[in-house]
Amino acid sequence: MPKFLLIDQSIEHSGGHHYEYAKRVLRAAEKAGYVPVLATHRRFTKASQGTWECHPTYQLGFWDSGASPTASHAHGSFSLTRWRQRLRARLQYSTLALMWEHRHEPETLLHSLRSIPHGLWLVVPLLALQHAWKLGSATGELVRSLLPVGPYLARVSRAFEKWLSVVFLPILLVLRPRPWLKQRILHSRKSRTFCQDTTRLLKACQLGRDDIVFVPTLDENEMLGILDCFQRFPPSAEPNWHLLFRRNIFEGHAPEYPSQITQHTDLHASLSRLQHETENLRVHLWTDTEELTTQYNAFNTVEFQTLPIPVGEEYRPSGTRRENATRFIYVGDARSEKGYPRLPRLIQDLLADDAATHRLEFAIQSNFNLRGGDPGSAVARAQLETLPTRSVQILTEPLDSSAYCELTLSGDACLVLYDPAAYAARSSGILVEALCAGIPVIVPASTWMSVQLNLAISRYHRSLDQAIPTLEGVEIDSQSWLEHGGNNRVRLRNGRLPMSRQDTRYCWVDVPADSNASHFSLHFEQNAPVDGIFTQITVDQLDAHGNSARQDIEIVGGLSQCPGSVLIELHSETRRIWVGLRNAHAETAYSIGEIRGRLLRSPTTLPRWAVGSVYSGPDRILESALDLVRHTDHYRQTARAFSNDWTPYHNSDSLVSRLQSPHEEPVASSPSYPSPEAPAT
């Protein structure tokens, strides 16, 4: 039988996302007729291994810098650090430290030393040393006063120091490692170590042409190590190789990528080398989002494709539901880029809003991925631990597979408060697991995560136009828009509204006092030359005196061809609405068409989104969470409908199938969602 070798150098124990990912893929490979083989970090113990063949081979994990090439060196470094900490603590709380602390307070010093055995004998040499120091200082000050050579000596000292720096400059340049040089050395060491470990592994596994090697976590250094392995041990190039890159290269969104290519000349050269040396080999390159695929393909070297995310079969909607309670979950490591520091304030505000009913619960996974955690997360966890335990559960230890799954499936809403800059193109395994399980999510706008919800939300908004009565005679369309800063109408292009970042297109909507209008809806079709274009929609509600009663800002879109829409609840004092549209991020010009804006009449407040809620900024997170709390049934219903079309793509079998047939057309990664039904009014 052919073998399926999965290499993940970061797996050190049977827990966490890396191990879960590997376990799901290997099970699917075994089901597809392969013999599963796992290669891990050297620290991965035999007690943690599954039923498949396992090789704890790798010295450095994905997150290791290369500064500690062996496990023994790493443990030695840790022991040295611990020894330093112990020595510092002993000195800080020693008798000597106490004497130094009170060296200028003789009475306090004598009083403190009485309680220490033989303490009074220590005060004599200390006082003598202190007297000698003071005498020397006073003598030096007297000499400087009598002999006016101070400025002269200072000038000589500065000139001599400058002369020394010029004389020894060439030596310093050679001996002192610059940051880029140090980084280059570490990267080279990491590539060399990965090459050596991979060569040793493949000699032991003896793979052939029918076998598959899958590396789901790597960067440029490991990729170069694999190329060196091909040269050092040619039989290693015989199997089908599949390399998955899950880290972003560029910042921002697709229109901003071309201007950043010149900042990554090393990666460009490495990809060109990969293209040249694997031209006749079966090496396939992957990412796990379309946005990342666009980034890597921007170099026009080797071709990258997109893989699904392998979600386990256990992540499916459950038949049970919680009555009279809403449980928020945060799943994954406590890290700043994942929004963990935002949790204390959000939870406090939600608990204050829920003070009368006590319907809210929170389960927060709070283990750190680094010793002590990053500063923001460490402070946040300390704040969370002060909140009432009857409502807030803090899980400080890493979770095994079953506990992790149990936590995820227990939620009514999943908090995915990731940094939009870091996750503009990157995927979130937690988001995919929650959506496959039919659990509503709260996500930031202008990210890969919000793009996944965009179509479902827009279809929900459009369904309201048919289910909810509209106010006759109050509509806006493509002809209604004015140039920002004036009253001139925007000149349409082929019936579409041209958009740019510099210019805001706006229009006015009057709200009659006796209209009973409860909501304002706006939807349109976006047409852009590339993906990564987002439209910012600003809705400013004014009262009869022209004062702002409420302002909402939402960011929608993300694909070159996609709908955009908003649903805004009207303030009771609103008499006029200012609606503004602009390009949210990039400078790229695009257009929108089929614009329809209406005033709706509903006796109850309507949910603003479907499947999950999307916030446009940190100050909007609470509003998004409250909307989900007040319309839990609606979000649960639409999330479950979303799950039915989401799971056929994001699963382990789908991933293995793509690896087996990389040249076949993939199943669409953006499923065609059923239109969520409008809530009853």
Side-chain angles (χ1 to χ4, degrees), residues 94 201 412 597 601 648:
S94 65
L201 169 69
D412 297 301
R601 291 171 171 167

Side-chain angles (χ1 to χ4, degrees), residues 323-335:
E323 297 292 342
N324 300 321
T326 300
R327 180 180 176 90
F328 285 89
I329 57 172
Y330 172 94
V331 186
D333 298 330
R335 288 157 55 186

Side-chain angles (χ1 to χ4, degrees), residues 340-645:
Y340 188 85
R342 301 194 186 282
L343 293 177
R345 175 65 182 272
L346 173 63
I347 294 176
Q348 288 173 346
D349 290 342
L350 287 172
L351 289 177
D353 185 81
D354 184 56
T357 60
H358 299 289
R359 294 178 57 248
L360 299 185
E361 300 175 5
F362 301 86
I364 310 298
Q365 187 176 348
S366 300
N367 57 284
F368 299 132
N369 66 325
L370 302 173
R371 180 179 296 274
D374 60 78
S377 298
V379 172
R381 192 169 88 173
Q383 294 173 327
L384 289 172
E385 289 173 343
T386 65
L387 298 179
T389 56
R390 69 175 183 275
S391 301
V392 183
Q393 180 185 11
I394 307 299
L395 307 171
T396 58
E397 297 298 325
L399 304 179
D400 59 24
S401 300
S402 58
Y404 175 89
C405 181
E406 182 181 355
L407 172 62
T408 303
L409 297 180
S410 72
D412 297 301
C414 184
L415 297 168
V416 192
L417 312 180
Y418 291 6
D419 177 16
Y423 283 85
R426 287 163 56 186
S427 66
S428 166
I430 294 167
L431 175 107
V432 179
E433 289 165 348
L435 291 178
C436 284
I439 299 172
V441 294
I442 300 178
V443 301
S446 302
T447 60
W448 173 84
M449 297 165 288
S450 66
V451 172
Q452 309 312 302
L453 307 185
N454 184 70
L455 182 57
I457 293 173
S458 182
R459 290 190 172 182
Y460 158 64
H461 289 162
R462 290 176 184 270
S463 71
L464 295 176
D465 286 350
Q466 300 175 353
I468 307 296
T470 62
L471 187 64
E472 298 294 335
V474 181
E475 293 187 2
I476 58 177
D477 54 26
S478 300
Q479 304 288 338
S480 307
W481 301 88
L482 305 174
E483 297 276 5
H484 183 62
N487 295 320
N488 298 324
R489 291 196 178 277
V490 178
R491 182 177 299 177
L492 302 182
R493 297 176 184 173
N494 297 322
R496 302 181 64 85
L497 188 67
M499 299 293 297
S500 67
R501 188 177 185 184
Q502 296 85 357
D503 300 319
T504 299
R505 315 305 187 187
Y506 75 98
C507 71
W508 292 99
V509 179
D510 291 322
V511 183
D514 58 349
S515 65
N516 295 323
S518 60
H519 297 77
F520 170 72
S521 76
L522 177 73
H523 42 79
F524 53 81
E525 293 293 331
Q526 178 173 299
N527 186 352
V530 293
D531 292 340
I533 299 292
F534 293 85
T535 299
Q536 176 178 305
I537 307 172
T538 304
V539 180
D540 196 0
Q541 303 181 39
L542 308 178
D543 61 18
H545 303 288
N547 300 318
S548 179
R550 170 176 171 169
Q551 185 183 77
D552 293 273
I553 299 176
E554 293 199 22
I555 300 175
V556 301
L559 300 177
S560 59
Q561 309 287 330
C562 66
S565 61
V566 293
L567 177 68
I568 304 296
E569 182 181 4
L570 297 182
H571 190 276
S572 59
E573 300 296 324
T574 297
R575 294 297 173 264
R576 208 177 191 202
I577 302 174
W578 183 91
V579 184
L581 303 177
R582 63 185 288 266
N583 191 331
H585 305 293
E587 302 292 344
T588 305
Y590 67 105
S591 65
I592 61 176
E594 301 182 32
I595 304 174
R596 292 290 181 270
R598 293 182 174 88
L599 295 177
L600 307 179
R601 291 171 171 167
S602 174
T604 60
T605 301
L606 300 173
R608 291 185 61 173
W609 301 278
V611 182
S613 58
V614 182
Y615 61 88
S616 59
D619 57 329
R620 306 279 175 171
I621 298 177
L622 176 61
E623 183 180 20
S624 301
L626 288 175
D627 194 77
L628 199 149
V629 170
R630 292 161 185 168
H631 304 283
T632 304
D633 290 340
H634 160 79
Y635 283 99
R636 182 186 292 116
Q637 172 192 348
T638 54
R640 294 192 174 200
F642 187 95
S643 171
N644 294 334
D645 288 298

Side-chain angles (χ1 to χ4, degrees), residues 122-135:
L122 297 174
V123 74
V124 176
L126 179 67
L127 292 177
L129 180 63
Q130 180 186 15
H131 178 71
W133 179 267
K134 289 184 176 181
L135 180 61

